[in-house]
Structures are given as structure tokens and as C-alpha cells.
Coordinates of all heavy atoms in Angstrom, one line a residue:
D1 N 25.5 -19.5 5.6 CA 24.3 -19.2 4.9 C 24.3 -17.8 4.3 O 24.9 -16.9 4.9 CB 23.2 -19.3 5.9 CG 23.0 -20.7 6.5 OD1 23.3 -21.7 5.7 OD2 22.6 -20.9 7.7
D2 N 23.6 -17.6 3.2 CA 23.5 -16.3 2.6 C 22.2 -15.6 2.9 O 21.9 -14.7 2.2 CB 23.6 -16.5 1.0 CG 25.0 -16.9 0.7 OD1 26.0 -16.6 1.4 OD2 25.2 -17.6 -0.4
Y3 N 21.6 -16.0 3.9 CA 20.3 -15.3 4.3 C 20.4 -13.8 4.4 O 19.5 -13.1 4.1 CB 19.7 -15.8 5.6 CG 19.5 -17.3 5.7 CD1 20.1 -18.1 6.6 CD2 18.6 -17.9 4.8 CE1 19.8 -19.5 6.7 CE2 18.3 -19.3 4.8 CZ 18.9 -20.0 5.8 OH 18.7 -21.4 5.8
C4 N 21.5 -13.4 5.0 CA 21.7 -12.0 5.3 C 22.9 -11.3 4.5 O 23.5 -10.4 5.0 CB 22.0 -11.8 6.8 SG 20.6 -12.5 7.8
N5 N 23.2 -11.9 3.4 CA 24.2 -11.4 2.5 C 23.8 -10.1 1.8 O 23.6 -10.3 0.6 CB 24.8 -12.5 1.7 CG 26.1 -12.1 0.9 OD1 26.7 -11.2 1.4 ND2 26.4 -12.9 -0.1
V6 N 23.7 -9.0 2.5 CA 23.3 -7.8 1.7 C 24.3 -6.6 2.1 O 24.8 -6.7 3.2 CB 21.9 -7.3 2.1 CG1 20.8 -8.4 1.7 CG2 21.7 -7.2 3.6
P7 N 24.5 -5.7 1.2 CA 25.4 -4.6 1.5 C 24.9 -3.8 2.7 O 23.8 -3.6 2.8 CB 25.4 -3.8 0.2 CG 24.8 -4.7 -0.9 CD 24.0 -5.7 -0.1
K8 N 25.9 -3.3 3.4 CA 25.6 -2.4 4.6 C 24.7 -1.2 4.2 O 23.9 -0.8 4.9 CB 26.8 -1.9 5.3 CG 27.4 -2.9 6.2 CD 26.8 -2.7 7.6 CE 27.7 -3.4 8.6 NZ 27.2 -3.2 10.0
S9 N 24.9 -0.7 2.9 CA 24.2 0.4 2.4 C 22.7 0.1 2.4 O 21.9 1.1 2.3 CB 24.7 0.9 1.1 OG 24.6 -0.1 0.2
E10 N 22.3 -1.1 2.4 CA 20.9 -1.5 2.2 C 20.2 -1.8 3.6 O 19.0 -2.0 3.7 CB 20.7 -2.7 1.3 CG 21.1 -2.4 -0.1 CD 21.0 -3.6 -1.0 OE1 20.3 -4.5 -0.7 OE2 21.7 -3.5 -2.1
W11 N 21.0 -1.8 4.6 CA 20.5 -2.2 6.0 C 19.6 -1.1 6.5 O 19.8 0.1 6.4 CB 21.6 -2.3 6.9 CG 22.5 -3.6 6.8 CD1 22.7 -4.2 5.6 CD2 23.1 -4.3 7.8 NE1 23.5 -5.4 5.9 CE2 23.8 -5.4 7.2 CE3 23.3 -4.1 9.2 CZ2 24.6 -6.3 7.9 CZ3 24.0 -5.0 9.9 CH2 24.7 -6.1 9.2
Q12 N 18.5 -1.5 7.2 CA 17.7 -0.6 8.0 C 18.3 -0.6 9.4 O 19.1 -1.5 9.7 CB 16.3 -1.2 8.0 CG 15.6 -1.2 6.6 CD 14.1 -1.6 6.7 OE1 13.3 -0.9 7.4 NE2 13.8 -2.7 6.1
S13 N 17.8 0.3 10.1 CA 18.4 0.5 11.5 C 17.8 -0.5 12.5 O 16.7 -1.1 12.3 CB 18.1 1.9 12.1 OG 16.7 2.0 12.4
M14 N 18.6 -0.8 13.5 CA 18.2 -1.7 14.6 C 16.9 -1.1 15.3 O 16.1 -1.9 15.7 CB 19.3 -1.9 15.7 CG 20.4 -2.8 15.2 SD 21.6 -3.0 16.6 CE 23.0 -3.5 15.6
D15 N 16.9 0.2 15.4 CA 15.7 0.8 16.0 C 14.5 0.6 15.3 O 13.4 0.4 15.8 CB 16.0 2.4 16.2 CG 17.0 2.7 17.2 OD1 17.2 1.9 18.1 OD2 17.5 3.8 17.2
A16 N 14.6 0.6 13.9 CA 13.4 0.3 13.1 C 13.0 -1.2 13.2 O 11.7 -1.4 13.3 CB 13.7 0.5 11.6
L17 N 13.9 -2.1 13.4 CA 13.5 -3.5 13.7 C 12.9 -3.6 15.0 O 11.8 -4.3 15.2 CB 14.7 -4.4 13.6 CG 14.5 -5.9 13.9 CD1 13.4 -6.5 13.0 CD2 15.8 -6.7 13.8
K18 N 13.4 -2.9 16.0 CA 12.8 -3.0 17.4 C 11.4 -2.4 17.4 O 10.5 -3.0 18.0 CB 13.7 -2.2 18.3 CG 13.2 -2.3 19.8 CD 14.1 -1.7 20.8 CE 13.5 -1.8 22.2 NZ 14.4 -1.3 23.2
E19 N 11.2 -1.3 16.6 CA 9.8 -0.7 16.5 C 8.9 -1.7 15.9 O 7.7 -1.9 16.3 CB 9.9 0.5 15.7 CG 10.5 1.7 16.5 CD 10.5 3.0 15.6 OE1 9.7 3.1 14.7 OE2 11.4 3.8 15.8
K20 N 9.3 -2.4 14.8 CA 8.5 -3.3 14.1 C 8.1 -4.5 15.0 O 6.9 -4.9 15.1 CB 9.2 -3.8 12.9 CG 8.5 -5.0 12.1 CD 9.4 -5.6 11.1 CE 8.7 -6.7 10.2 NZ 8.3 -7.8 11.0
L21 N 9.1 -5.1 15.7 CA 8.8 -6.2 16.6 C 8.0 -5.8 17.8 O 7.1 -6.6 18.2 CB 10.1 -6.8 17.0 CG 11.0 -7.5 15.9 CD1 12.3 -7.9 16.4 CD2 10.2 -8.5 15.2
T22 N 8.2 -4.7 18.4 CA 7.4 -4.2 19.5 C 6.0 -4.0 19.1 O 5.1 -4.4 19.8 CB 8.0 -2.9 20.0 OG1 9.3 -3.1 20.5 CG2 7.2 -2.4 21.2
A23 N 5.7 -3.5 17.9 CA 4.3 -3.4 17.4 C 3.6 -4.7 17.2 O 2.5 -4.8 17.3 CB 4.4 -2.6 16.0
E24 N 4.5 -5.7 17.0 CA 3.9 -7.1 16.8 C 3.8 -7.8 18.2 O 3.5 -9.0 18.2 CB 4.9 -7.9 15.9 CG 4.8 -7.4 14.5 CD 5.8 -8.1 13.5 OE1 6.5 -9.1 13.9 OE2 5.9 -7.7 12.4
G25 N 4.1 -7.1 19.3 CA 3.9 -7.7 20.6 C 5.2 -8.3 21.2 O 5.1 -8.9 22.2
W26 N 6.3 -8.2 20.5 CA 7.6 -8.7 21.1 C 8.1 -7.8 22.2 O 8.0 -6.6 22.1 CB 8.6 -8.8 20.0 CG 8.4 -9.9 19.0 CD1 7.2 -10.2 18.4 CD2 9.4 -10.7 18.4 NE1 7.4 -11.2 17.4 CE2 8.7 -11.5 17.4 CE3 10.7 -10.9 18.6 CZ2 9.4 -12.5 16.6 CZ3 11.4 -11.8 17.8 CH2 10.7 -12.6 16.8
D27 N 8.7 -8.4 23.3 CA 9.4 -7.6 24.2 C 10.9 -7.8 23.9 O 11.5 -8.9 24.3 CB 9.1 -8.2 25.6 CG 9.9 -7.5 26.7 OD1 10.5 -6.5 26.5 OD2 9.8 -7.9 27.9
V28 N 11.5 -6.9 23.2 CA 12.8 -7.0 22.7 C 13.8 -6.7 23.8 O 13.7 -5.6 24.4 CB 13.1 -6.1 21.4 CG1 14.5 -6.2 21.0 CG2 12.1 -6.5 20.3
R29 N 14.7 -7.6 24.1 CA 15.7 -7.4 25.1 C 17.1 -6.9 24.6 O 17.8 -6.2 25.2 CB 15.9 -8.7 26.0 CG 14.6 -9.2 26.6 CD 14.0 -8.1 27.6 NE 12.8 -8.5 28.1 CZ 12.7 -9.2 29.3 NH1 13.7 -9.6 29.9 NH2 11.5 -9.5 29.7
K30 N 17.5 -7.5 23.4 CA 18.8 -7.1 22.8 C 18.8 -7.4 21.3 O 18.2 -8.4 20.9 CB 19.8 -8.0 23.5 CG 21.2 -7.7 22.9 CD 22.3 -7.8 24.0 CE 23.6 -7.5 23.5 NZ 24.0 -6.1 23.7
I31 N 19.4 -6.5 20.6 CA 19.6 -6.6 19.2 C 21.1 -6.4 19.0 O 21.6 -5.4 19.4 CB 18.8 -5.7 18.3 CG1 17.3 -5.8 18.6 CG2 19.1 -5.9 16.8 CD1 16.4 -4.9 17.9
K32 N 21.7 -7.3 18.1 CA 23.1 -7.0 17.8 C 23.3 -7.6 16.4 O 22.5 -8.4 15.8 CB 24.0 -7.7 18.8 CG 24.0 -9.2 18.8 CD 25.0 -9.7 19.8 CE 25.0 -11.2 19.8 NZ 26.1 -11.8 20.7
E33 N 24.5 -7.2 15.7 CA 24.8 -7.8 14.5 C 25.5 -9.1 14.7 O 26.3 -9.2 15.6 CB 25.8 -6.8 13.8 CG 25.2 -5.6 13.3 CD 26.2 -4.7 12.6 OE1 27.1 -5.2 11.9 OE2 26.1 -3.5 12.7
D34 N 25.2 -10.1 13.9 CA 25.9 -11.4 13.9 C 25.9 -12.0 12.5 O 24.9 -12.3 12.0 CB 25.1 -12.3 14.9 CG 25.9 -13.6 15.1 OD1 27.1 -13.6 15.2 OD2 25.2 -14.7 15.1
E35 N 27.1 -12.2 12.0 CA 27.3 -12.8 10.7 C 26.4 -12.2 9.6 O 25.8 -12.9 8.8 CB 27.1 -14.3 10.8 CG 28.2 -14.9 11.7 CD 28.1 -16.4 11.8 OE1 27.4 -17.0 11.0 OE2 28.8 -17.0 12.6
G36 N 26.2 -10.9 9.6 CA 25.5 -10.2 8.6 C 24.0 -10.1 8.9 O 23.3 -9.5 8.1
C37 N 23.5 -10.7 9.9 CA 22.1 -10.7 10.4 C 22.0 -9.8 11.6 O 22.9 -9.5 12.3 CB 21.6 -12.1 10.6 SG 21.5 -13.2 9.3
Y38 N 20.8 -9.4 11.9 CA 20.4 -8.9 13.2 C 20.0 -10.1 14.0 O 19.1 -10.8 13.7 CB 19.3 -7.9 13.1 CG 19.7 -6.5 12.6 CD1 18.8 -5.8 11.9 CD2 21.0 -6.0 12.9 CE1 19.2 -4.5 11.4 CE2 21.3 -4.7 12.5 CZ 20.4 -4.0 11.7 OH 20.8 -2.7 11.3
E39 N 20.7 -10.2 15.2 CA 20.3 -11.3 16.2 C 19.5 -10.6 17.3 O 19.9 -9.6 17.8 CB 21.6 -11.9 16.7 CG 21.4 -12.9 17.8 CD 22.7 -13.5 18.3 OE1 23.7 -12.9 18.1 OE2 22.6 -14.4 19.1
V40 N 18.4 -11.2 17.6 CA 17.4 -10.6 18.5 C 17.1 -11.6 19.6 O 16.8 -12.7 19.4 CB 16.1 -10.2 17.8 CG1 15.1 -9.6 18.8 CG2 16.3 -9.2 16.7
Y41 N 17.3 -11.1 20.9 CA 16.8 -11.9 22.0 C 15.5 -11.2 22.5 O 15.5 -10.0 22.7 CB 17.9 -11.9 23.2 CG 19.1 -12.7 22.9 CD1 20.2 -12.1 22.3 CD2 19.1 -14.0 23.2 CE1 21.3 -12.9 22.0 CE2 20.2 -14.8 23.0 CZ 21.3 -14.2 22.4 OH 22.4 -15.0 22.1
A42 N 14.4 -11.9 22.6 CA 13.2 -11.3 22.9 C 12.2 -12.4 23.5 O 12.4 -13.6 23.5 CB 12.5 -10.7 21.7
V43 N 11.1 -11.8 24.0 CA 10.0 -12.6 24.4 C 8.9 -12.2 23.5 O 8.5 -11.1 23.4 CB 9.6 -12.3 25.9 CG1 8.4 -13.2 26.3 CG2 10.7 -12.6 26.9
K44 N 8.4 -13.2 22.7 CA 7.3 -13.0 21.8 C 6.0 -12.8 22.5 O 5.8 -13.0 23.7 CB 7.2 -14.2 20.8 CG 8.5 -14.2 19.9 CD 8.4 -15.5 19.0 CE 7.4 -15.3 17.9 NZ 7.5 -16.3 17.0
A45 N 5.0 -12.3 21.8 CA 3.6 -12.0 22.3 C 3.0 -13.2 23.0 O 2.3 -13.1 23.9 CB 2.7 -11.5 21.1
D46 N 3.4 -14.5 22.5 CA 2.8 -15.7 23.1 C 3.6 -16.1 24.3 O 3.3 -17.2 24.9 CB 2.7 -16.8 22.0 CG 4.1 -17.2 21.5 OD1 5.1 -16.7 22.0 OD2 4.2 -18.0 20.6
G47 N 4.6 -15.3 24.7 CA 5.4 -15.7 25.9 C 6.6 -16.5 25.6 O 7.4 -16.8 26.6
K48 N 6.8 -16.9 24.4 CA 8.0 -17.7 24.0 C 9.2 -16.9 24.0 O 9.3 -15.8 23.5 CB 7.7 -18.3 22.6 CG 8.1 -19.7 22.4 CD 7.7 -20.4 21.2 CE 7.5 -19.6 19.9 NZ 7.4 -20.4 18.7
K49 N 10.3 -17.4 24.7 CA 11.6 -16.7 24.7 C 12.4 -17.2 23.5 O 12.4 -18.4 23.3 CB 12.3 -17.0 26.0 CG 11.6 -16.4 27.2 CD 12.3 -16.9 28.5 CE 11.6 -16.4 29.7 NZ 12.1 -16.8 30.9
V50 N 12.8 -16.3 22.7 CA 13.5 -16.6 21.4 C 14.8 -15.9 21.2 O 15.0 -14.8 21.7 CB 12.6 -16.4 20.2 CG1 11.3 -17.3 20.3 CG2 12.3 -14.9 20.0
E51 N 15.6 -16.6 20.4 CA 16.8 -16.0 19.8 C 16.4 -16.1 18.3 O 16.2 -17.2 17.7 CB 18.0 -16.8 20.1 CG 19.2 -16.3 19.3 CD 20.5 -17.2 19.7 OE1 20.4 -18.2 20.5 OE2 21.5 -17.0 19.0
A52 N 16.3 -14.9 17.6 CA 15.8 -14.9 16.2 C 16.9 -14.0 15.4 O 17.5 -13.1 15.9 CB 14.5 -14.2 16.2
Y53 N 16.9 -14.4 14.1 CA 17.8 -13.8 13.2 C 17.0 -13.2 12.0 O 16.1 -13.8 11.5 CB 18.9 -14.7 12.6 CG 19.8 -15.2 13.7 CD1 19.5 -16.3 14.6 CD2 21.1 -14.7 13.9 CE1 20.3 -16.7 15.6 CE2 21.9 -15.0 14.8 CZ 21.5 -16.1 15.7 OH 22.4 -16.5 16.7
F54 N 17.3 -11.9 11.7 CA 16.6 -11.2 10.7 C 17.5 -10.7 9.6 O 18.6 -10.2 9.9 CB 15.8 -10.0 11.3 CG 14.7 -10.4 12.2 CD1 15.0 -10.6 13.5 CD2 13.4 -10.5 11.7 CE1 13.9 -11.1 14.4 CE2 12.4 -10.9 12.6 CZ 12.6 -11.2 13.9
N55 N 17.0 -10.7 8.4 CA 17.7 -10.0 7.3 C 17.7 -8.5 7.6 O 16.6 -8.0 7.8 CB 17.1 -10.3 6.0 CG 17.7 -9.6 4.8 OD1 17.8 -8.4 4.7 ND2 18.1 -10.4 3.9
P56 N 18.8 -7.8 7.6 CA 18.8 -6.4 8.0 C 18.3 -5.5 7.0 O 17.9 -4.3 7.3 CB 20.3 -6.1 8.3 CG 21.0 -7.1 7.5 CD 20.2 -8.3 7.4
A57 N 18.1 -5.9 5.8 CA 17.5 -5.0 4.7 C 16.0 -5.2 4.7 O 15.3 -4.2 4.6 CB 18.1 -5.4 3.4
T58 N 15.5 -6.4 4.8 CA 14.1 -6.7 4.6 C 13.4 -7.0 5.9 O 12.1 -7.0 5.9 CB 13.9 -7.9 3.7 OG1 14.4 -9.1 4.4 CG2 14.6 -7.7 2.3
F59 N 14.1 -7.2 7.0 CA 13.6 -7.7 8.3 C 12.8 -9.0 8.2 O 12.1 -9.4 9.0 CB 12.7 -6.6 8.9 CG 13.4 -5.4 9.4 CD1 12.7 -4.2 9.5 CD2 14.7 -5.3 9.6 CE1 13.3 -3.0 10.0 CE2 15.4 -4.2 10.0 CZ 14.6 -3.0 10.2
E60 N 13.2 -9.8 7.1 CA 12.6 -11.1 7.0 C 13.2 -12.0 8.1 O 14.5 -12.0 8.3 CB 13.0 -11.7 5.7 CG 12.6 -13.2 5.5 CD 13.1 -13.8 4.2 OE1 13.8 -13.1 3.4 OE2 12.8 -15.0 4.0
L61 N 12.4 -12.8 8.8 CA 12.9 -13.7 9.8 C 13.5 -14.8 9.1 O 12.9 -15.5 8.3 CB 11.7 -14.2 10.7 CG 12.0 -15.3 11.7 CD1 13.0 -14.7 12.8 CD2 10.8 -15.8 12.3
V62 N 14.8 -15.1 9.4 CA 15.6 -16.2 8.7 C 15.8 -17.4 9.5 O 16.0 -18.5 9.0 CB 16.8 -15.7 8.0 CG1 16.5 -14.6 6.9 CG2 17.8 -15.0 9.0
K63 N 15.9 -17.2 10.8 CA 16.1 -18.3 11.8 C 15.5 -17.9 13.1 O 15.5 -16.8 13.5 CB 17.6 -18.6 12.0 CG 18.3 -19.2 10.8 CD 19.8 -19.7 11.2 CE 20.7 -18.6 11.0 NZ 22.1 -19.0 11.3
E64 N 15.0 -18.9 13.8 CA 14.5 -18.7 15.1 C 14.7 -19.9 16.0 O 14.4 -21.0 15.6 CB 13.0 -18.3 15.1 CG 12.3 -18.1 16.4 CD 10.9 -17.8 16.3 OE1 10.5 -16.8 15.5 OE2 10.1 -18.4 16.9
Y65 N 15.1 -19.7 17.2 CA 15.3 -20.7 18.2 C 14.5 -20.4 19.4 O 14.5 -19.3 20.0 CB 16.8 -20.8 18.6 CG 17.7 -21.1 17.4 CD1 18.4 -20.1 16.9 CD2 17.8 -22.4 16.9 CE1 19.3 -20.3 15.8 CE2 18.7 -22.6 15.8 CZ 19.4 -21.5 15.3 OH 20.2 -21.8 14.2
T66 N 13.7 -21.4 19.9 CA 13.0 -21.2 21.2 C 13.9 -21.5 22.3 O 14.7 -22.6 22.3 CB 11.8 -22.1 21.2 OG1 10.9 -21.8 20.2 CG2 11.0 -21.9 22.5
L67 N 14.0 -20.7 23.3 CA 14.9 -20.8 24.5 C 14.0 -21.2 25.7 O 13.0 -20.5 25.9 CB 15.7 -19.6 24.7 CG 16.5 -19.1 23.4 CD1 17.1 -17.8 23.7 CD2 17.6 -20.1 23.1
R68 N 14.5 -22.1 26.5 CA 13.8 -22.4 27.7 C 13.9 -21.3 28.7 O 13.0 -21.0 29.5 CB 14.3 -23.7 28.3 CG 13.9 -24.9 27.5 CD 14.4 -26.2 28.2 NE 15.8 -26.1 28.4 CZ 16.7 -27.0 28.1 NH1 16.3 -28.1 27.6 NH2 18.0 -26.9 28.4
S69 N 15.1 -20.7 28.7 CA 15.4 -19.7 29.8 C 16.4 -18.7 29.2 O 17.5 -19.1 28.8 CB 15.8 -20.4 31.0 OG 16.2 -19.4 32.0
I70 N 16.1 -17.5 29.4 CA 17.1 -16.4 29.1 C 17.1 -15.6 30.4 O 16.1 -15.1 30.9 CB 16.7 -15.5 28.0 CG1 16.4 -16.3 26.7 CG2 17.8 -14.5 27.7 CD1 15.9 -15.4 25.6
R71 N 18.3 -15.4 31.0 CA 18.5 -14.5 32.1 C 19.3 -13.3 31.7 O 20.3 -13.5 31.1 CB 19.2 -15.3 33.3 CG 18.3 -16.3 33.9 CD 18.9 -17.1 35.0 NE 19.9 -18.1 34.5 CZ 19.6 -19.2 33.9 NH1 18.3 -19.5 33.7 NH2 20.5 -20.0 33.5
F72 N 18.8 -12.1 32.0 CA 19.4 -10.9 31.5 C 19.9 -10.1 32.7 O 19.4 -10.1 33.8 CB 18.3 -10.0 30.8 CG 17.8 -10.6 29.6 CD1 16.6 -11.4 29.6 CD2 18.4 -10.4 28.4 CE1 16.1 -11.9 28.4 CE2 17.9 -10.9 27.2 CZ 16.8 -11.6 27.2
D73 N 21.1 -9.5 32.4 CA 21.7 -8.5 33.3 C 20.6 -7.4 33.5 O 20.1 -6.8 32.6 CB 23.0 -8.0 32.8 CG 23.6 -7.0 33.7 OD1 23.1 -5.8 33.6 OD2 24.5 -7.3 34.5
E74 N 20.3 -7.0 34.7 CA 19.3 -6.1 35.0 C 19.6 -4.7 34.4 O 18.7 -3.9 34.1 CB 19.0 -5.9 36.5 CG 18.5 -7.2 37.2 CD 17.1 -7.5 36.6 OE1 16.3 -6.6 36.5 OE2 16.8 -8.7 36.4
K75 N 20.8 -4.3 34.3 CA 21.2 -2.9 33.9 C 21.3 -2.9 32.4 O 20.9 -1.9 31.7 CB 22.4 -2.4 34.6 CG 22.2 -2.2 36.1 CD 23.4 -1.7 36.8 CE 23.2 -1.6 38.3 NZ 24.3 -1.2 39.0
T76 N 22.0 -3.9 31.8 CA 22.3 -3.8 30.4 C 21.4 -4.6 29.5 O 21.4 -4.5 28.3 CB 23.8 -4.3 30.1 OG1 23.8 -5.6 30.5 CG2 24.8 -3.5 30.9
F77 N 20.6 -5.4 30.1 CA 19.7 -6.4 29.4 C 20.5 -7.3 28.5 O 20.0 -7.8 27.5 CB 18.6 -5.7 28.6 CG 17.6 -5.0 29.5 CD1 17.6 -3.7 29.7 CD2 16.7 -5.8 30.2 CE1 16.7 -3.1 30.6 CE2 15.7 -5.2 31.0 CZ 15.8 -3.9 31.2
T78 N 21.8 -7.5 28.8 CA 22.6 -8.4 28.1 C 22.3 -9.8 28.5 O 22.3 -10.1 29.7 CB 24.1 -8.2 28.3 OG1 24.4 -6.8 28.0 CG2 25.0 -9.1 27.5
P79 N 22.0 -10.8 27.6 CA 21.8 -12.1 28.0 C 23.0 -12.7 28.8 O 24.2 -12.6 28.3 CB 21.6 -12.9 26.7 CG 21.3 -11.9 25.7 CD 22.0 -10.6 26.2
Q80 N 22.8 -13.2 30.0 CA 23.9 -13.7 30.9 C 24.0 -15.2 30.7 O 25.1 -15.7 30.8 CB 23.6 -13.3 32.3 CG 23.6 -11.8 32.6 CD 24.9 -11.2 32.3 OE1 26.0 -11.6 32.8 NE2 24.9 -10.2 31.3
S81 N 22.9 -15.9 30.5 CA 23.0 -17.3 30.3 C 21.8 -17.7 29.5 O 20.7 -17.2 29.7 CB 23.1 -18.1 31.6 OG 21.9 -17.9 32.4
V82 N 22.0 -18.7 28.7 CA 20.9 -19.2 27.9 C 20.8 -20.7 28.0 O 21.9 -21.4 27.9 CB 21.1 -18.8 26.4 CG1 20.0 -19.4 25.5 CG2 21.2 -17.3 26.2
D83 N 19.7 -21.2 28.3 CA 19.5 -22.7 28.3 C 18.8 -23.2 27.1 O 18.0 -22.5 26.5 CB 18.6 -23.1 29.6 CG 19.2 -22.6 30.9 OD1 20.5 -22.5 30.9 OD2 18.5 -22.4 31.8

């Protein structure tokens, strides 16, 4: 998919995405780069656990998956298993 096909020079920071999502009520657990997108593991304001993908230049949500269960390592907040 070309959802996130933007030059690195146009990317905004992961911290800026985290600030935006936190302001919208998300509990962000992890953000990483994945195939040109920012991949986010979080709990949304409505309590839904999600794996979401954002365009790194615009922060447009391009894909979202609802997860039944995400278990995180207590120290690193790295997802340990996903159902």
C-alpha cells in the first residue's frame, strides 16, 4: 500500500504523534516505524485496544485493527502477545 509513501524529510516526530493521540484520549503504549508508517499500540478513549497505522507526514489514520487483548512488558511497554 502507498498510504505512507512519503519522504523521510516530510515526517513529523513520533513524540508529536504521541502528543496528538494523548490529547485525543489515547493511552499510547508503543510507537514504531513499520513499512513507512507509524505503527501504534494503544488503548483508545473508549477503552478499545488497537493497533493503528498513521501516515508519518500528516498523521492521517490509514489502518486500524481492534485487538481483544494486548499484554505489555511492564518495563518496556513492548507488546508481548496479541490476540
Side-chain angles (χ1 to χ4, degrees):
D1 296 328
D2 289 334
Y3 300 123
C4 301
N5 188 15
V6 295
K8 277 269 196 181
S9 62
E10 296 179 18
W11 287 30
Q12 298 185 60
S13 71
M14 287 185 200
D15 287 339
L17 177 57
K18 184 175 182 176
E19 286 179 27
K20 175 189 182 300
L21 296 176
T22 300
E24 295 174 4
W26 290 42
D27 180 7
V28 177
R29 301 298 176 91
K30 179 144 182 96
I31 301 176
K32 66 179 186 174
E33 291 181 31
D34 184 42
E35 297 183 10
C37 293
Y38 282 146
E39 178 182 10
V40 177
Y41 288 91
V43 180
K44 293 176 71 173
D46 62 5
K48 224 173 21 173
K49 296 174 183 176
V50 296
E51 176 183 352
Y53 293 83
F54 292 87
N55 178 300
T58 64
F59 293 159
E60 175 188 0
L61 177 65
V62 295
K63 288 190 270 186
E64 180 180 306
Y65 303 99
T66 301
L67 305 171
R68 291 184 304 230
S69 174
I70 306 175
R71 288 179 285 289
F72 294 93
D73 179 278
E74 294 296 321
K75 294 181 183 175
T76 64
F77 291 104
T78 305
Q80 295 301 302
S81 62
V82 178
D83 298 332

